[in-house]
């Protein structure tokens, strides 16, 4: 069964520094996709970045990049030049079993950016 | 393009009552999914609708039900409310393709408190 593990309940980072949020996953599907979402205190989940299992390069979206290590089954999110507005919950997610339409989310990491 | 709209934003109910939550997806999106988010259990999949048909269902009791209308708007109903139903209920819309890179667009959620 698919599983997403985020082992960091909370993280602190100094403004303008980079931070890495960890995510490991488990799946038996040969083809899969991994997502990162940000949830500010307002509640809305905001899509940040996507990595496909067959993508040759790590995904990047502005200040967000994904450190994808397929053999280790890890998909860590790297936020460069942290900003105060980056303070939020961050969730790693993947599609459920092949053919289904549910997504599985990790327990999240609460990031606090310090001024 | 308007985002996903959920109403109401907050709800307070008492045990035994029933509640209906509403979700209007992004224009053109035919899939609507519902997730329950609690501090203890994280994000859990409730069900997904596509073109008025439920395609997937999570492991929730029959008190949780949903439907989708011809305009893709969706409603979720919880009957005989229990204290444990207190949660943030998130709705997500998408095109509905069964592809690894299909991303979800979330609303801000309905915060339900059961007293």
């Amino acid at each position: 069964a698919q599983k997403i593990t985020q082992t960091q309940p909370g993280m602190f980072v100094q403004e303008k520094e980079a931070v890495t949020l960890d995510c490991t996953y488990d799946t038996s599907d040969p083809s899969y996709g991994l997502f990162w979402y940000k949830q500010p205190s307002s509640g809305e989940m905001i899509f940040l970045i996507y990595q496909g299992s067959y993508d040759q390069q790590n995904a990047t979206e502005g200040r967000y990049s994904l450190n994808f290590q397929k053999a280790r089954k890890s998909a860590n999110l790297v936020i460069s030049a942290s900003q105060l507005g980056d303070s939020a919950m961050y969730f790693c997610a993947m599609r459920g079993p092949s053919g289904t339409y549910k997504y599985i989310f990790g327990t999240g990491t609460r990031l606090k950016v310090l001024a | 393009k308007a985002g996903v709209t959920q109403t109401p934003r907050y709800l307070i109910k008492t045990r035994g009552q029933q509640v209906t939550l509403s979700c209007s997806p992004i224009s053109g999106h035919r899939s609507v999914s519902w997730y329950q988010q609690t501090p203890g259990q994280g994000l859990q999949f409730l069900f997904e609708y596509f073109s008025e048909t439920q395609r997937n269902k999570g492991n929730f009791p029959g008190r949780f039900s949903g439907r989708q209308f011809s305009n893709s708007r969706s409603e979720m109903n919880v009957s005989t409310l229990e204290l444990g139903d207190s949660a943030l209920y998130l709705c997500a819309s998408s095109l509905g393709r069964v592809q690894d890179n299909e991303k979800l667009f979330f609303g801000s959620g309905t915060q339900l408190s059961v007293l």
Side-chain angles (χ1 to χ4, degrees):
Chain A
Q2 268 83 347
K3 187 177 181 181
I4 296 281
T5 302
Q6 294 180 255
T7 58
Q8 305 155 311
M11 293 274 289
F12 289 96
V13 64
Q14 221 38 58
E15 195 178 8
K16 299 180 185 176
E17 291 188 350
V19 63
T20 297
L21 306 184
D22 294 342
C23 171
T24 57
Y25 61 92
D26 191 21
T27 179
S28 55
D29 286 339
S31 176
Y32 52 90
L34 295 151
F35 302 81
W36 276 92
Y37 284 87
K38 170 185 177 182
Q39 187 179 40
S41 56
S42 62
E44 181 181 355
M45 299 275 282
I46 301 165
F47 167 78
L48 294 178
I49 195 166
Y50 167 82
Q51 178 80 46
S53 59
Y54 289 116
D55 292 343
Q56 295 297 316
Q57 293 187 329
N58 288 339
T60 60
E61 292 279 353
R63 294 186 299 110
Y64 304 108
S65 60
L66 203 150
N67 184 0
F68 182 49
Q69 298 187 47
K70 196 170 181 177
R72 294 186 176 185
K73 293 191 174 180
S74 75
N76 298 337
L77 176 70
V78 180
I79 305 175
S80 62
S82 296
Q83 302 172 356
L84 295 178
D86 293 334
S87 295
M89 281 290 286
Y90 289 81
F91 292 92
C92 182
M94 69 186 305
R95 276 284 282 275
S98 180
T100 69
Y101 206 71
K102 76 176 200 178
Y103 287 70
I104 296 163
F105 290 80
T107 52
T109 296
R110 183 172 296 281
L111 177 67
K112 175 70 175 176
V113 180
L114 305 173
Chain B
K1 209 175 195 182
V4 179
T5 304
Q6 288 189 249
T7 56
R9 186 72 178 91
Y10 300 95
L11 265 178
I12 299 176
K13 292 286 187 180
T14 56
R15 279 182 300 172
Q17 288 187 310
Q18 74 162 15
V19 68
T20 299
L21 314 182
S22 179
C23 173
S24 293
I26 291 172
S27 177
H29 284 189
R30 296 166 66 190
S31 169
V32 173
S33 304
W34 289 89
Y35 288 81
Q36 180 195 66
Q37 185 178 18
T38 59
Q41 299 295 319
L43 277 126
Q44 293 188 288
F45 173 77
L46 281 154
F47 28 65
E48 185 259 352
Y49 286 87
F50 180 82
S51 293
E52 302 179 68
T53 300
Q54 187 184 86
R55 289 197 299 192
N56 290 117
K57 189 176 190 307
N59 297 322
F60 278 82
R63 301 185 296 107
F64 292 82
S65 63
R67 59 178 175 168
Q68 187 180 34
F69 303 96
S70 58
N71 62 356
S72 294
R73 190 178 71 84
S74 177
E75 286 182 349
M76 191 192 97
N77 185 274
V78 188
S79 63
T80 320
L81 284 166
E82 300 177 0
L83 295 178
D85 296 334
S86 294
L88 179 67
Y89 290 87
L90 290 164
C91 164
S93 80
S94 75
L95 294 170
R97 303 169 303 180
V98 188
Q99 293 179 191
D100 290 337
N101 63 350
E102 180 83 342
K103 67 186 183 191
L104 300 177
F105 295 83
F106 285 85
S108 295
T110 294
Q111 183 68 52
L112 172 65
S113 298
V114 182
L115 306 178

